[in-house]
Amino acid sequence: LSAVHLEISRRERQRRASANETARPFSRKKHYYEVLELDRACSAAEVRRAFRRLSLQFHPDKQLGKSDEERRWAARMFDEIKEAHECLAHEPTRREYDQILRAQVRPDPQVEANGAARWKQRAREGAEGTAGGGGLGR
């Protein structure tokens, strides 16, 4: 890493420490475990592996030769994957997110499973070159 990048990282850590910042902001409307296709009991290593696998699939640089619509859809998917990773990879944020999930009244497990299946189907369609929705509720 460059010296500039290291200095920025050091300053950011100092800013967070001085502000007593423990968690990063996240969306309470998205189920990040479903986005990364993980169980809630997954380890940090599994979060990293899932992020790497999905980001390689949906990264904008990997979408060359596809239509504009497919590239835009893949970019939205990549943004969702990145957002999920940022929440789940940072331990204080993940703890807070898990507490909110436990506090929420969850729908019937069959309905939740169908939602995850729809998200995975959209991801598969996008990977196969069929333009799909924007993922999770879009």
Side-chain angles (χ1 to χ4, degrees), residues 110-128:
Q110 184 62 38
V111 173
E112 190 172 300
N114 289 341
R118 280 193 303 274
W119 194 92
K120 288 177 185 178
Q121 178 61 33
R122 289 180 183 164
R124 268 189 244 108
E125 289 172 356
E128 294 168 0

Side-chain angles (χ1 to χ4, degrees), residues 30-109:
K30 294 182 182 177
H31 198 299
Y32 292 131
Y33 292 104
E34 288 177 3
V35 171
L36 293 179
E37 301 174 358
L38 295 170
D39 293 327
R40 284 172 60 176
C42 65
S43 68
E46 290 173 314
V47 170
R48 283 190 304 272
R49 281 193 299 267
F51 170 71
R52 179 156 173 78
R53 176 179 50 83
L54 292 169
S55 66
L56 287 173
Q57 180 179 353
F58 292 105
H59 194 279
D61 290 346
K62 299 284 186 176
Q63 307 305 317
L64 301 176
K66 295 190 176 179
S67 72
D68 287 342
E69 184 179 344
E70 290 171 329
R71 286 198 308 267
R72 282 192 301 274
W73 181 78
R76 285 193 306 267
M77 294 291 289
F78 181 73
D79 288 342
E80 286 186 18
I81 292 163
K82 189 170 52 170
E83 182 180 340
H85 175 260
E86 288 172 357
C87 176
L88 298 178
H90 188 243
E91 191 57 37
T93 307
R94 182 174 177 176
R95 267 196 309 270
E96 184 180 332
Y97 178 72
D98 286 342
Q99 287 174 351
I100 289 171
L101 284 182
R102 282 191 295 271
Q104 287 178 348
V105 177
R106 300 302 293 173
D108 178 40

